[in-house]
Amino acid sequence: MMGTLAAVLAGKKIKTFEELYSADVEGDIENVNGVLKITQIRVKYNLKVPKGKTADARDALSSYIEGCPGAQSVIGCIDISDEADIVELDE
C-alpha cells in the first residue's frame, strides 16, 4: 500500500523520502469459526508535504487504494482502513 501511495504522491510532485513518509500499521487476528484469520488492518500514514500540497496529498489518499494490487487482493476478506497525519513543511 505504501508503494502505491508513494507512486500517486510522486505524480503530484510530493516526495516520499524516508524522513518525510512513514506508516504505523496494526491489525487484528480473530478466531472465525475455529480458524485464525486476519480480519482488520489499520494504516496510519505520517506524511510531511511542501507548503500548499495538503489538498493534493488528501486527493492521493482518497484514490490510491483503488490501484493498489496488495489491497485489492484482500479487500473483501480483510477490512482495511487508513488515515493520515499530514504536516506541511515551512520550506
Side-chain angles (χ1 to χ4, degrees):
M1 290 173 54
M2 284 188 75
T4 302
L5 178 56
V8 176
L9 290 167
K12 295 180 178 295
K13 309 295 183 205
I14 298 173
K15 296 177 181 173
T16 54
F17 297 135
E18 185 176 339
E19 67 274 11
L20 302 174
Y21 179 54
S22 65
D24 299 313
V25 181
E26 58 183 22
D28 296 334
I29 299 172
E30 297 179 44
N31 183 334
V32 179
N33 299 325
V35 177
L36 296 178
K37 294 177 66 176
I38 300 170
T39 56
Q40 295 185 13
I41 297 173
R42 294 174 295 283
V43 182
K44 180 181 178 188
Y45 294 105
N46 305 295
L47 182 61
K48 296 176 184 171
V49 301
K51 194 169 184 82
K53 287 291 200 175
T54 296
D56 285 345
R58 294 249 178 248
D59 184 57
L61 284 159
S62 72
S63 63
Y64 82 98
I65 206 156
E66 296 161 6
C68 178
Q72 291 302 315
S73 296
V74 298
I75 284 178
C77 299
I78 301 173
D79 180 36
I80 298 174
S81 62
D82 61 4
E83 62 180 297
D85 182 16
I86 300 173
V87 175
E88 283 197 357
L89 300 171
D90 289 330
E91 47 188 276

